[in-house]
Coordinates of all heavy atoms in Angstrom, one line a residue:
I1 N 99.7 75.3 74.4 CA 100.8 75.5 75.3 C 102.0 76.3 74.7 O 102.6 77.1 75.3 CB 101.3 74.2 75.9 CG1 100.1 73.5 76.6 CG2 102.4 74.4 76.8 CD1 100.1 73.4 78.0
H2 N 102.3 75.9 73.4 CA 103.4 76.5 72.8 C 103.2 78.0 72.6 O 104.2 78.8 72.8 CB 103.6 75.9 71.4 CG 104.8 76.5 70.6 ND1 106.1 76.3 71.0 CD2 104.8 77.2 69.5 CE1 106.9 76.9 70.2 NE2 106.1 77.5 69.2
K3 N 102.0 78.5 72.3 CA 101.7 79.9 72.2 C 101.8 80.6 73.5 O 102.1 81.8 73.5 CB 100.3 80.1 71.7 CG 100.0 79.6 70.3 CD 98.6 79.8 69.9 CE 98.3 79.3 68.5 NZ 96.9 79.5 68.2
K4 N 101.6 80.0 74.6 CA 101.6 80.6 75.9 C 102.9 80.5 76.6 O 103.0 81.0 77.8 CB 100.5 80.1 76.7 CG 99.1 80.3 76.2 CD 98.1 79.8 77.2 CE 97.4 78.6 76.6 NZ 96.5 78.0 77.5
R5 N 104.0 80.0 76.1 CA 105.2 79.8 76.8 C 105.9 81.0 77.3 O 106.6 81.1 78.2 CB 106.1 78.9 76.1 CG 106.8 79.5 74.9 CD 107.7 78.6 74.2 NE 108.2 79.2 73.0 CZ 109.1 78.7 72.2 NH1 109.7 77.6 72.6 NH2 109.5 79.3 71.2
H6 N 105.6 82.2 76.6 CA 106.3 83.4 77.0 C 105.4 84.2 77.9 O 105.8 85.3 78.4 CB 106.6 84.2 75.7 CG 107.6 83.5 74.8 ND1 108.9 83.3 75.2 CD2 107.5 83.0 73.6 CE1 109.5 82.7 74.2 NE2 108.7 82.5 73.3
I7 N 104.1 83.8 78.1 CA 103.2 84.5 79.0 C 103.2 83.7 80.3 O 103.3 82.5 80.3 CB 101.8 84.5 78.4 CG1 101.8 85.2 77.0 CG2 100.8 85.2 79.3 CD1 100.4 85.0 76.3
G8 N 103.2 84.4 81.4 CA 103.1 83.7 82.6 C 104.0 84.2 83.7 O 103.7 83.9 84.9
N9 N 104.9 85.0 83.4 CA 105.8 85.6 84.5 C 105.4 87.0 84.9 O 106.2 87.7 85.4 CB 107.2 85.5 84.1 CG 107.7 84.1 84.1 OD1 107.2 83.2 84.8 ND2 108.7 83.8 83.2
D10 N 104.1 87.4 84.6 CA 103.7 88.7 84.9 C 102.7 88.6 86.1 O 102.0 87.7 86.2 CB 102.9 89.2 83.7 CG 103.7 89.3 82.4 OD1 104.9 89.7 82.5 OD2 103.3 88.8 81.4
H11 N 102.8 89.7 86.9 CA 101.9 89.7 88.0 C 100.5 90.1 87.6 O 99.5 89.7 88.2 CB 102.4 90.7 89.1 CG 103.6 90.1 89.8 ND1 104.9 90.4 89.3 CD2 103.7 89.4 90.9 CE1 105.8 89.8 90.1 NE2 105.1 89.2 91.1
T12 N 100.4 90.9 86.6 CA 99.1 91.5 86.1 C 99.0 91.2 84.6 O 99.9 91.5 83.8 CB 99.0 93.0 86.4 OG1 99.2 93.2 87.7 CG2 97.7 93.5 85.9
N13 N 97.8 90.6 84.2 CA 97.6 90.4 82.8 C 96.3 91.1 82.4 O 95.3 91.1 83.1 CB 97.3 88.9 82.5 CG 98.6 88.1 82.7 OD1 99.6 88.4 82.2 ND2 98.6 87.1 83.6
I14 N 96.3 91.6 81.2 CA 95.1 92.3 80.6 C 94.6 91.4 79.5 O 95.3 91.0 78.6 CB 95.4 93.7 80.0 CG1 95.9 94.6 81.2 CG2 94.2 94.3 79.4 CD1 96.4 95.9 80.7
V15 N 93.3 91.0 79.6 CA 92.7 90.0 78.7 C 91.5 90.6 78.0 O 90.6 91.2 78.7 CB 92.3 88.7 79.4 CG1 91.7 87.7 78.5 CG2 93.5 88.1 80.1
W16 N 91.5 90.6 76.7 CA 90.3 91.0 75.9 C 89.6 89.7 75.5 O 90.2 88.8 74.9 CB 90.7 91.8 74.7 CG 89.6 92.1 73.8 CD1 89.0 91.3 72.8 CD2 88.9 93.4 73.7 NE1 88.0 92.0 72.2 CE2 87.9 93.3 72.7 CE3 89.0 94.6 74.4 CZ2 87.0 94.3 72.4 CZ3 88.2 95.6 74.1 CH2 87.2 95.5 73.2
T17 N 88.3 89.6 75.8 CA 87.5 88.4 75.4 C 86.2 88.9 74.8 O 85.6 89.8 75.3 CB 87.3 87.4 76.6 OG1 86.6 86.3 76.1 CG2 86.5 88.1 77.7
E18 N 85.8 88.2 73.7 CA 84.6 88.5 73.1 C 83.5 87.4 73.3 O 82.5 87.4 72.7 CB 84.8 88.7 71.6 CG 85.7 89.9 71.3 CD 85.7 90.4 69.9 OE1 84.9 89.9 69.1 OE2 86.6 91.2 69.6
H19 N 83.8 86.5 74.3 CA 82.9 85.5 74.7 C 81.9 86.1 75.6 O 82.2 87.0 76.4 CB 83.6 84.3 75.3 CG 84.5 83.5 74.4 ND1 83.9 82.7 73.4 CD2 85.8 83.5 74.3 CE1 84.9 82.2 72.8 NE2 86.1 82.6 73.3
T20 N 80.7 85.5 75.7 CA 79.7 86.0 76.6 C 79.9 85.2 78.0 O 79.4 85.7 79.0 CB 78.3 85.7 76.1 OG1 78.1 84.3 75.8 CG2 78.0 86.6 74.9
R21 N 80.6 84.1 77.9 CA 80.8 83.4 79.2 C 82.0 84.0 79.9 O 82.8 84.7 79.3 CB 81.1 81.9 78.9 CG 82.3 81.6 78.1 CD 82.5 80.1 77.8 NE 83.7 79.8 77.2 CZ 83.9 79.8 75.9 NH1 82.9 80.1 75.1 NH2 85.0 79.5 75.3
N22 N 82.1 83.7 81.2 CA 83.1 84.3 82.0 C 84.5 83.7 81.7 O 84.6 82.5 81.3 CB 82.8 84.1 83.5 CG 81.7 84.9 84.0 OD1 81.4 86.0 83.4 ND2 81.0 84.5 85.0
Y23 N 85.5 84.5 81.8 CA 86.9 84.1 81.6 C 87.3 83.1 82.6 O 87.1 83.3 83.8 CB 87.8 85.3 81.5 CG 89.2 85.0 81.3 CD1 89.7 84.7 80.0 CD2 90.1 85.1 82.4 CE1 91.0 84.4 79.8 CE2 91.5 84.8 82.2 CZ 91.9 84.5 80.9 OH 93.2 84.2 80.7
Y24 N 88.0 82.0 82.2 CA 88.5 81.0 83.1 C 89.9 81.4 83.5 O 90.8 81.5 82.6 CB 88.5 79.7 82.4 CG 89.0 78.5 83.2 CD1 88.4 78.2 84.4 CD2 90.1 77.8 82.8 CE1 88.9 77.1 85.2 CE2 90.6 76.7 83.5 CZ 90.0 76.4 84.7 OH 90.4 75.4 85.5
R25 N 90.1 81.8 84.8 CA 91.4 82.4 85.2 C 92.6 81.5 85.0 O 93.7 81.9 85.0 CB 91.3 82.9 86.6 CG 91.3 81.9 87.7 CD 91.5 82.6 89.1 NE 92.9 82.7 89.4 CZ 93.6 83.8 89.4 NH1 93.1 85.0 89.0 NH2 94.9 83.8 89.7
N26 N 92.4 80.2 84.9 CA 93.5 79.2 84.8 C 93.9 79.0 83.3 O 94.6 78.1 83.0 CB 93.2 77.9 85.5 CG 93.2 78.1 87.0 OD1 93.9 78.9 87.5 ND2 92.4 77.3 87.7
T27 N 93.4 79.8 82.4 CA 93.8 79.7 81.0 C 95.2 80.0 80.8 O 95.9 79.3 80.1 CB 93.0 80.8 80.2 OG1 91.6 80.5 80.3 CG2 93.3 80.7 78.7
I28 N 95.8 80.9 81.5 CA 97.2 81.2 81.5 C 97.7 80.7 82.9 O 97.5 81.4 83.9 CB 97.5 82.7 81.3 CG1 96.9 83.2 80.0 CG2 99.0 82.9 81.3 CD1 97.0 84.7 79.8
V29 N 98.4 79.6 82.9 CA 98.9 79.0 84.1 C 100.3 79.5 84.5 O 101.2 79.4 83.7 CB 98.8 77.4 84.0 CG1 99.3 76.8 85.3 CG2 97.5 77.0 83.6
S30 N 100.4 80.0 85.7 CA 101.7 80.4 86.3 C 101.5 80.6 87.7 O 100.4 81.0 88.2 CB 102.2 81.6 85.6 OG 103.3 82.1 86.2
Q31 N 102.6 80.5 88.4 CA 102.6 80.9 89.9 C 102.6 82.4 90.1 O 102.5 82.9 91.2 CB 103.7 80.2 90.6 CG 105.1 80.6 90.2 CD 106.1 79.8 90.9 OE1 105.9 79.2 91.9 NE2 107.3 79.7 90.3
F32 N 102.9 83.2 89.0 CA 103.0 84.6 89.2 C 101.8 85.4 88.7 O 101.8 86.6 89.0 CB 104.2 85.1 88.4 CG 105.5 84.5 88.8 CD1 106.2 83.6 88.1 CD2 106.1 85.0 90.0 CE1 107.4 83.1 88.6 CE2 107.3 84.5 90.5 CZ 107.9 83.5 89.8
N33 N 100.8 84.8 88.1 CA 99.7 85.6 87.6 C 98.7 85.8 88.8 O 97.9 85.0 89.1 CB 98.9 84.8 86.5 CG 99.8 84.7 85.3 OD1 100.6 85.5 85.0 ND2 99.5 83.7 84.5
F34 N 98.8 87.0 89.3 CA 98.0 87.3 90.5 C 96.7 88.1 90.1 O 95.7 88.0 90.8 CB 98.8 88.1 91.5 CG 99.9 87.3 92.1 CD1 101.2 87.5 91.8 CD2 99.6 86.4 93.1 CE1 102.2 86.8 92.4 CE2 100.6 85.6 93.7 CZ 101.9 85.8 93.3
V35 N 96.8 89.0 89.1 CA 95.7 89.8 88.7 C 95.4 89.6 87.2 O 96.3 89.7 86.4 CB 96.0 91.3 89.0 CG1 94.8 92.2 88.5 CG2 96.2 91.5 90.5
H36 N 94.1 89.4 86.9 CA 93.7 89.4 85.5 C 92.6 90.5 85.4 O 91.6 90.5 86.1 CB 93.0 88.1 85.1 CG 93.9 86.9 85.1 ND1 94.8 86.6 84.1 CD2 94.2 85.9 86.0 CE1 95.5 85.5 84.3 NE2 95.1 85.1 85.5
L37 N 92.9 91.4 84.5 CA 91.9 92.4 84.1 C 91.3 92.0 82.8 O 91.9 92.0 81.8 CB 92.6 93.8 84.0 CG 93.4 94.3 85.3 CD1 94.2 95.5 85.0 CD2 92.4 94.5 86.4
V38 N 90.0 91.6 82.9 CA 89.3 91.0 81.7 C 88.3 92.0 81.2 O 87.4 92.5 81.9 CB 88.6 89.7 82.1 CG1 88.1 89.0 80.9 CG2 89.6 88.8 82.8
I39 N 88.4 92.3 79.9 CA 87.6 93.3 79.2 C 86.6 92.5 78.3 O 87.0 91.7 77.5 CB 88.4 94.2 78.3 CG1 89.5 94.9 79.1 CG2 87.5 95.3 77.7 CD1 90.6 95.5 78.3
Y40 N 85.3 92.8 78.5 CA 84.2 92.2 77.7 C 83.5 93.4 77.0 O 83.0 94.3 77.6 CB 83.2 91.6 78.6 CG 83.6 90.4 79.5 CD1 84.1 90.6 80.7 CD2 83.6 89.1 79.0 CE1 84.6 89.6 81.5 CE2 84.0 88.1 79.7 CZ 84.5 88.3 81.0 OH 84.9 87.2 81.8
P41 N 83.5 93.3 75.6 CA 82.7 94.3 74.9 C 81.2 94.0 75.0 O 80.8 92.8 74.9 CB 83.2 94.2 73.4 CG 83.8 92.8 73.3 CD 84.2 92.4 74.7
L42 N 80.4 95.0 75.2 CA 79.0 94.8 75.3 C 78.3 95.3 74.0 O 78.9 96.0 73.2 CB 78.4 95.7 76.5 CG 79.1 95.3 77.9 CD1 78.6 96.3 78.9 CD2 78.8 93.9 78.3
K43 N 77.1 94.8 73.8 CA 76.3 95.1 72.6 C 76.0 96.6 72.4 O 75.8 97.1 71.3 CB 75.1 94.3 72.5 CG 75.4 92.8 72.4 CD 74.1 92.0 72.2 CE 74.5 90.5 72.1 NZ 73.4 89.7 71.8
N44 N 76.0 97.3 73.5 CA 75.6 98.8 73.4 C 76.9 99.6 73.2 O 76.8 100.9 73.2 CB 74.9 99.2 74.7 CG 75.8 99.1 75.9 OD1 76.9 98.7 75.9 ND2 75.2 99.4 77.1
G45 N 78.0 99.0 72.9 CA 79.2 99.8 72.6 C 80.1 100.1 73.8 O 81.2 100.6 73.7
M46 N 79.6 99.8 75.0 CA 80.4 100.0 76.2 C 81.2 98.7 76.5 O 81.1 97.7 75.8 CB 79.4 100.2 77.4 CG 78.5 101.4 77.2 SD 79.4 103.0 77.2 CE 79.5 103.3 78.9
L47 N 82.1 98.8 77.5 CA 83.0 97.7 77.8 C 82.9 97.4 79.3 O 82.8 98.4 80.1 CB 84.4 98.1 77.5 CG 84.7 98.5 76.1 CD1 86.0 99.2 75.9 CD2 84.7 97.3 75.2
R48 N 82.8 96.2 79.7 CA 82.7 95.8 81.1 C 84.0 95.2 81.5 O 84.7 94.4 80.7 CB 81.6 94.7 81.3 CG 81.5 94.2 82.7 CD 80.4 93.2 82.9 NE 80.4 92.1 82.1 CZ 80.9 90.9 82.4 NH1 81.4 90.7 83.6 NH2 80.9 89.9 81.6
L49 N 84.5 95.5 82.7 CA 85.8 95.0 83.1 C 85.6 94.2 84.4 O 85.0 94.7 85.3 CB 86.8 96.2 83.4 CG 88.2 95.7 83.7 CD1 89.1 96.1 82.6 CD2 88.6 96.2 85.0
D50 N 86.2 93.0 84.4 CA 86.2 92.1 85.6 C 87.6 92.1 86.1 O 88.6 92.0 85.3 CB 85.7 90.7 85.2 CG 84.2 90.6 85.1 OD1 83.5 91.6 85.4 OD2 83.7 89.6 84.7
T51 N 87.7 92.1 87.4 CA 89.0 92.0 88.0 C 89.1 90.7 88.8 O 88.3 90.4 89.7 CB 89.2 93.1 89.0 OG1 89.0 94.4 88.3 CG2 90.6 93.1 89.6
L52 N 90.0 89.8 88.3 CA 90.2 88.5 89.0 C 91.5 88.5 89.7 O 92.5 88.8 89.1 CB 90.2 87.3 87.9 CG 89.0 87.3 87.0 CD1 89.2 86.2 85.9 CD2 87.7 87.0 87.7
I53 N 91.4 88.2 91.0 CA 92.6 88.3 91.9 C 92.8 87.0 92.5 O 91.9 86.4 93.1 CB 92.4 89.4 93.0 CG1 92.1 90.7 92.3 CG2 93.6 89.5 93.8 CD1 91.6 91.8 93.3
K54 N 94.1 86.5 92.4 CA 94.4 85.2 92.9 C 94.3 85.0 94.4 O 93.6 84.1 94.9 CB 95.9 84.8 92.5 CG 96.3 83.4 92.7 CD 97.7 83.2 92.2 CE 98.0 81.8 92.0 NZ 99.4 81.6 91.4
E55 N 94.8 86.0 95.2 CA 94.7 85.9 96.6 C 94.0 87.2 97.1 O 94.5 88.1 97.7 CB 96.1 85.9 97.2 CG 96.8 84.6 96.9 CD 98.3 84.6 97.4 OE1 98.7 85.6 97.9 OE2 98.9 83.5 97.3
K56 N 92.6 87.2 96.8 CA 91.8 88.4 97.0 C 91.8 88.9 98.5 O 91.9 90.1 98.7 CB 90.4 88.1 96.6 CG 89.6 89.3 96.4 CD 88.3 89.0 95.7 CE 87.7 90.4 95.3 NZ 86.7 90.2 94.2
E57 N 91.8 87.9 99.4 CA 91.8 88.3 100.8 C 93.1 89.0 101.3 O 93.1 89.7 102.3 CB 91.4 87.2 101.7 CG 92.4 86.0 101.7 CD 92.2 85.0 100.5 OE1 91.1 85.1 99.8 OE2 93.1 84.2 100.2
K58 N 94.2 88.7 100.6 CA 95.5 89.2 101.0 C 95.9 90.5 100.2 O 96.8 91.2 100.6 CB 96.6 88.2 100.8 CG 96.5 87.0 101.6 CD 97.7 86.1 101.3 CE 97.6 84.8 102.2 NZ 98.7 83.9 101.9
T59 N 95.1 90.8 99.2 CA 95.4 91.9 98.3 C 94.6 93.1 98.6 O 93.3 93.0 98.7 CB 95.2 91.5 96.8 OG1 95.9 90.3 96.5 CG2 95.6 92.6 95.8
P60 N 95.2 94.3 98.8 CA 94.4 95.5 99.1 C 93.6 95.9 97.9 O 94.0 95.6 96.7 CB 95.4 96.5 99.5 CG 96.7 96.0 99.0 CD 96.6 94.5 98.9
V61 N 92.5 96.7 98.1 CA 91.7 97.2 97.0 C 92.6 98.1 96.2 O 93.3 99.0 96.7 CB 90.5 97.8 97.5 CG1 89.7 98.4 96.4 CG2 89.6 96.9 98.3
F62 N 92.5 98.0 94.9 CA 93.2 98.9 94.0 C 92.2 99.4 92.9 O 91.2 98.7 92.6 CB 94.5 98.3 93.4 CG 94.2 97.0 92.7 CD1 94.0 97.1 91.3 CD2 94.2 95.8 93.3 CE1 93.8 95.9 90.6 CE2 94.0 94.6 92.6 CZ 93.8 94.7 91.2
G63 N 92.5 100.4 92.2 CA 91.7 100.9 91.1 C 92.5 101.8 90.2 O 93.7 101.6 90.2
P64 N 91.9 102.6 89.5 CA 90.6 103.3 89.6 C 89.5 102.4 89.1 O 88.3 102.7 89.4 CB 90.8 104.6 88.8 CG 91.9 104.3 87.8 CD 92.8 103.3 88.4
I65 N 89.7 101.4 88.3 CA 88.6 100.6 87.8 C 88.4 99.5 88.8 O 89.4 98.8 89.2 CB 88.9 100.0 86.4 CG1 89.1 101.1 85.4 CG2 87.8 99.0 86.0 CD1 89.6 100.6 84.0
L66 N 87.2 99.3 89.2 CA 86.8 98.2 90.1 C 86.1 97.1 89.4 O 85.6 97.3 88.3 CB 86.0 98.8 91.3 CG 86.7 99.9 92.1 CD1 85.7 100.4 93.1 CD2 88.0 99.3 92.7
D67 N 86.0 95.9 90.0 CA 85.3 94.8 89.4 C 83.9 95.1 89.0 O 83.1 95.6 89.8 CB 85.3 93.6 90.4 CG 84.9 92.3 89.8 OD1 85.3 92.0 88.7 OD2 84.1 91.6 90.4
G68 N 83.6 94.7 87.7 CA 82.2 94.9 87.2 C 81.9 96.2 86.6 O 80.7 96.5 86.2
M69 N 82.8 97.2 86.6 CA 82.5 98.5 86.1 C 82.3 98.5 84.6 O 82.9 97.6 83.9 CB 83.7 99.5 86.4 CG 83.7 99.9 87.8 SD 85.0 101.1 88.2 CE 84.2 102.6 87.7
V70 N 81.4 99.3 84.1 CA 81.1 99.5 82.7 C 81.6 100.8 82.3 O 81.3 101.8 82.9 CB 79.6 99.3 82.4 CG1 79.3 99.5 80.9 CG2 79.1 97.9 82.8
L71 N 82.5 100.9 81.2 CA 83.1 102.1 80.8 C 83.0 102.3 79.3 O 82.8 101.4 78.5 CB 84.6 102.0 81.1 CG 85.0 101.7 82.5 CD1 86.5 101.4 82.6 CD2 84.7 102.9 83.4
N72 N 83.1 103.6 78.9 CA 83.2 104.0 77.5 C 84.6 103.7 77.0 O 85.6 103.9 77.7 CB 82.9 105.4 77.4 CG 82.8 105.9 76.0 OD1 83.7 105.8 75.2 ND2 81.6 106.5 75.6
E73 N 84.8 103.3 75.8 CA 86.1 102.9 75.2 C 87.0 104.1 75.2 O 88.3 104.0 75.2 CB 86.0 102.3 73.9 CG 85.5 103.2 72.8 CD 85.4 102.5 71.4 OE1 85.2 101.3 71.4 OE2 85.5 103.2 70.4
R74 N 86.5 105.4 75.2 CA 87.4 106.5 75.1 C 88.2 106.7 76.4 O 89.3 107.2 76.4 CB 86.6 107.8 74.8 CG 86.1 107.8 73.4 CD 85.4 109.1 73.1 NE 84.1 109.0 73.8 CZ 83.4 110.1 74.1 NH1 83.8 111.3 73.9 NH2 82.2 109.9 74.7
I75 N 87.6 106.3 77.5 CA 88.4 106.5 78.8 C 89.0 105.2 79.3 O 89.7 105.2 80.3 CB 87.4 107.0 79.9 CG1 86.3 106.1 80.2 CG2 86.9 108.4 79.5 CD1 85.5 106.5 81.4
L76 N 88.8 104.1 78.6 CA 89.3 102.8 79.1 C 90.8 102.7 79.1 O 91.4 102.3 80.1 CB 88.7 101.6 78.2 CG 89.3 100.3 78.6 CD1 88.6 99.9 79.9 CD2 89.0 99.2 77.5
G77 N 91.5 103.2 78.1 CA 92.9 103.1 78.0 C 93.7 103.6 79.2 O 94.4 102.9 79.8
I78 N 93.5 104.9 79.5 CA 94.2 105.5 80.6 C 93.8 104.8 82.0 O 94.7 104.6 82.8 CB 94.0 107.0 80.7 CG1 95.0 107.6 81.7 CG2 92.6 107.4 80.9 CD1 96.4 107.7 81.3
L79 N 92.5 104.6 82.2 CA 92.1 103.9 83.4 C 92.6 102.5 83.6 O 93.0 102.1 84.6 CB 90.6 104.0 83.6 CG 90.0 105.4 83.7 CD1 88.5 105.3 83.8 CD2 90.6 106.1 84.9
L80 N 92.6 101.8 82.4 CA 93.1 100.4 82.5 C 94.6 100.3 82.8 O 95.0 99.5 83.6 CB 92.8 99.7 81.2 CG 93.1 98.2 81.1 CD1 92.2 97.4 82.1 CD2 92.8 97.7 79.7
R81 N 95.4 101.2 82.2 CA 96.8 101.2 82.4 C 97.1 101.5 83.9 O 97.9 100.9 84.5 CB 97.5 102.2 81.5 CG 97.7 101.7 80.1 CD 98.6 102.7 79.3 NE 97.9 103.9 79.0 CZ 97.1 104.1 78.0 NH1 96.8 103.1 77.2 NH2 96.6 105.3 77.8
Q82 N 96.4 102.5 84.4 CA 96.6 102.9 85.8 C 96.1 101.7 86.8 O 96.8 101.5 87.8 CB 95.8 104.2 86.2 CG 96.2 104.7 87.5 CD 97.7 105.1 87.6 OE1 98.2 105.8 86.7 NE2 98.3 104.6 88.6
T83 N 95.0 101.0 86.4 CA 94.6 99.9 87.2 C 95.6 98.8 87.2 O 95.9 98.1 88.2 CB 93.2 99.4 86.8 OG1 92.3 100.5 86.8 CG2 92.7 98.3 87.6
A84 N 96.2 98.5 86.0 CA 97.2 97.5 85.9 C 98.4 97.8 86.8 O 99.0 96.9 87.4 CB 97.6 97.3 84.4
I85 N 98.9 99.0 86.7 CA 100.0 99.4 87.5 C 99.7 99.3 89.0 O 100.5 98.8 89.8 CB 100.4 100.9 87.2 CG1 101.0 100.9 85.8 CG2 101.4 101.5 88.2 CD1 101.2 102.4 85.2
N86 N 98.5 99.8 89.4 CA 98.1 99.7 90.8 C 97.9 98.3 91.3 O 98.3 97.9 92.4 CB 96.9 100.5 91.1 CG 97.1 102.0 91.0 OD1 98.3 102.5 91.0 ND2 96.1 102.8 90.8
G87 N 97.4 97.4 90.4 CA 97.2 96.0 90.7 C 98.6 95.3 90.9 O 98.8 94.5 91.8
N88 N 99.5 95.6 90.1 CA 100.9 95.1 90.2 C 101.5 95.5 91.5 O 102.1 94.7 92.2 CB 101.7 95.5 89.0 CG 103.1 94.8 88.9 OD1 103.1 93.6 89.0 ND2 104.1 95.6 88.9
R89 N 101.4 96.8 91.9 CA 101.9 97.3 93.1 C 101.2 96.6 94.3 O 101.9 96.2 95.3 CB 101.7 98.8 93.2 CG 102.6 99.6 92.3 CD 102.3 101.0 92.5 NE 103.2 101.8 91.6 CZ 102.9 103.0 91.1 NH1 101.8 103.6 91.5 NH2 103.8 103.6 90.3
A90 N 99.9 96.4 94.2 CA 99.2 95.8 95.3 C 99.6 94.3 95.6 O 99.7 94.0 96.8 CB 97.7 95.8 95.0
V91 N 99.8 93.6 94.6 CA 100.2 92.2 94.8 C 101.6 92.0 95.2 O 102.0 90.9 95.7 CB 99.8 91.3 93.6 CG1 98.3 91.3 93.3 CG2 100.6 91.6 92.4
R92 N 102.5 92.9 94.9 CA 103.9 92.8 95.2 C 104.2 93.3 96.6 O 105.3 93.0 97.1 CB 104.7 93.6 94.2 CG 104.6 93.0 92.8 CD 105.5 93.7 91.8 NE 106.8 93.3 92.2 CZ 107.9 93.6 91.4 NH1 107.7 94.3 90.4 NH2 109.1 93.2 91.8
K93 N 103.3 93.9 97.3 CA 103.5 94.3 98.7 C 103.3 93.2 99.6 O 102.5 92.4 99.5 CB 102.6 95.5 99.0 CG 103.0 96.8 98.3 CD 102.2 97.9 98.8 CE 102.7 99.2 98.1 NZ 102.0 100.3 98.5

């Protein structure tokens, strides 16, 4: 809890996990965490991205990265930043 006290007031969080199991969205507890963009490295060198949305039925679809997409690490940075910005805009409307 002490490590996470400064995390939590963000609408969008980007999480890198090297576990094979799915990310538990309540790891970072806050009333403001609406979008989690979770990156999983795959054994073939590619990266899979999961999008976890707190109020999915109320949030419009945003991208350019969609839930479950597999990407090359060379294009991940720019697309992930744009997805985080769009996710933040989507949940604030």
Side-chain angles (χ1 to χ4, degrees):
I1 303 248
H2 180 67
K3 292 180 184 179
K4 296 186 251 177
R5 71 179 172 171
H6 298 293
I7 302 172
N9 292 329
D10 302 314
H11 289 92
T12 303
N13 293 307
I14 299 172
V15 179
W16 175 278
T17 181
E18 296 191 12
H19 293 287
T20 55
R21 65 182 181 272
N22 289 335
Y23 177 76
Y24 180 60
R25 76 170 268 104
N26 290 329
T27 301
I28 302 172
V29 179
S30 171
Q31 61 183 341
F32 297 107
N33 294 337
F34 293 106
V35 177
H36 293 279
L37 302 172
V38 186
I39 306 164
Y40 297 91
L42 302 174
K43 291 184 181 186
N44 63 0
M46 302 291 276
L47 303 163
R48 177 175 58 95
L49 188 112
D50 284 352
T51 304
L52 306 174
I53 303 169
K54 190 175 197 176
E55 297 176 352
K56 195 167 194 162
E57 60 280 346
K58 294 180 181 179
T59 305
V61 176
F62 59 90
I65 299 174
L66 301 175
D67 187 43
M69 288 182 80
V70 177
L71 304 167
N72 185 303
E73 66 181 26
R74 288 183 287 156
I75 63 170
L76 179 71
I78 188 72
L79 294 178
L80 186 63
R81 282 188 290 276
Q82 190 62 50
T83 303
I85 291 167
N86 291 341
N88 189 53
R89 287 179 181 158
V91 298
R92 295 186 72 175
K93 287 185 179 184

